[in-house]
Amino acid sequence: MEEFLGGLDYLILGMALTPATSGLIGEKELRMLKPSAVLINPTRASIIEEQAFIRCLQERWIRGASLDVHYAYPLPPEHPLWSIPNLIMTPHISGSVASPNFLDRIYDIFTQNLERFVAQRPLLNELSTEQLQGR
């Protein structure tokens, strides 16, 4: 395992969350990655032990990471992941375009928000500057 993980430039997790994969990647595995490695997780957050992952990024054991999943929904504004500069987080919709309902849903939200904007009412799914900055 050490030889495998130590040779990777990118570790991309693509597995289901099961009792066998929950916490599969912990401090030991994260420390096996080389400092220039990037971890990409588009599947389930809990495959990586949360506190070890946070420390890994804060202490820069690896170059960075990308998450399309989260440890809580919604991720609280005070969560430390919001303030980690070497982490990219996306809203877990990476595979949604293949859904037969995706475009209808997006157009519906757009139409509702256009009507709200014209009427000067709050928009759906709007994030404040503070939320975008993790405050």
Side-chain angles (χ1 to χ4, degrees), residues 12-103:
I12 302 170
L13 301 176
M15 61 192 73
L17 180 61
T18 68
T21 62
S22 181
L24 180 68
I25 305 295
E27 180 172 343
K28 179 181 174 186
E29 292 76 20
L30 292 168
R31 287 189 181 275
M32 288 179 188
L33 294 167
K34 57 188 176 183
S36 59
V38 174
L39 193 159
I40 300 171
N41 187 0
T43 55
R44 294 289 179 251
S46 297
I47 293 170
I48 307 170
E49 290 178 7
E50 183 176 13
Q51 294 309 310
F53 180 61
I54 291 167
R55 283 191 41 238
C56 169
L57 293 174
Q58 288 175 332
E59 296 175 11
R60 298 191 181 265
W61 303 346
I62 62 173
R63 182 169 46 135
S66 175
L67 292 180
D68 189 48
V69 294
H70 306 286
Y71 291 95
Y73 290 94
L75 196 61
E78 67 279 358
H79 197 284
L81 288 177
W82 288 117
S83 63
I84 297 177
N86 54 337
L87 173 65
I88 296 171
M89 291 192 296
T90 55
H92 199 47
I93 60 168
S94 63
S96 297
V97 293
S99 166
N101 302 316
F102 181 75
L103 286 177

